[in-house]
Amino acid sequence: YGRWTERCAHNPQSFIWDSGLSVIKKILNVSAARWFIVGSTTFVIDTALFLLVFNITEIAVLSNLFSGTVATTFNYFSHYRWSFATDRSHKQSTLIYLFFFFVFLFLGTSLVSYFIHSGLHPVPAKVGTAAITAPISFFIMKFVTFRRTTTHEA
């Protein structure tokens, strides 16, 4: 207690900074917040690569398969190690993840291709597809793919 009082008296900004970091650490310790950060980064990678390849090839299926594969590789390792910090074996979670990866890749590719062929610009087509699949993906990853085998929360 004395050390804390001394520190605050000399540098009140340090207390505010440390308190802010403490709140951020608590928020980041929640798997949903971590999922959001990883998911947002994955979305940026996926969308950027999709638009890049689509501008070159104008083939929605090829563009989505490429961008989805690269983004999903980043996504899997980030979720496995950080977001959900699972205690499942890599082999077990990888097999489950790959199954859902192919399901979502097929669904996402079908949706984005349908939206583009219906006349929608590629950006809203990709964003709309992500808005449909992301919430479903969170629950599958949280409660199926990276479900902890022990009772404590990450």
Side-chain angles (χ1 to χ4, degrees):
Y1 179 74
R3 220 171 147 194
W4 176 81
T5 312
E6 227 176 82
R7 191 168 163 197
C8 289
H10 293 295
N11 189 358
Q13 289 177 345
S14 176
F15 170 71
I16 294 169
W17 178 255
D18 289 348
S19 297
L21 285 177
S22 176
V23 170
I24 291 170
K25 285 180 183 179
K26 285 180 184 176
I27 290 170
L28 292 180
N29 199 26
V30 177
S31 61
R34 290 178 176 192
W35 172 84
F36 179 78
I37 292 168
V38 171
S40 297
T41 305
T42 301
F43 173 75
V44 169
I45 293 168
D46 186 25
T47 303
L49 289 175
F50 171 79
L51 292 173
L52 176 71
V53 175
F54 186 78
N55 281 333
I56 295 168
T57 66
E58 294 189 8
I59 302 171
V61 172
L62 175 68
S63 303
N64 203 61
L65 290 174
F66 175 75
S67 68
T69 301
V70 172
T72 300
T73 301
F74 163 80
N75 187 276
Y76 171 78
F77 287 107
S78 299
H79 284 315
Y80 182 84
R81 302 228 182 263
W82 187 59
S83 302
F84 300 111
T86 188
D87 59 354
R88 281 189 170 183
S89 72
H90 236 325
K91 183 178 180 181
Q92 186 180 20
S93 60
T94 301
L95 291 174
I96 296 167
Y97 190 89
L98 283 174
F99 171 77
F100 286 111
F101 163 72
F102 286 114
V103 169
F104 277 96
L105 188 62
F106 174 77
L107 176 64
T109 300
S110 298
L111 283 172
V112 78
S113 184
Y114 171 78
F115 290 150
I116 289 172
H117 290 308
S118 296
L120 198 59
H121 188 271
V123 173
K126 188 69 174 167
V127 172
T129 299
I132 293 167
T133 59
I136 301 165
S137 171
F138 169 75
F139 287 107
I140 289 173
M141 282 192 270
K142 172 82 174 156
F143 297 109
V144 179
T145 308
F146 298 115
R147 179 179 51 86
R148 295 183 68 77
T149 58
T150 57
T151 58
H152 67 281
E153 176 69 24

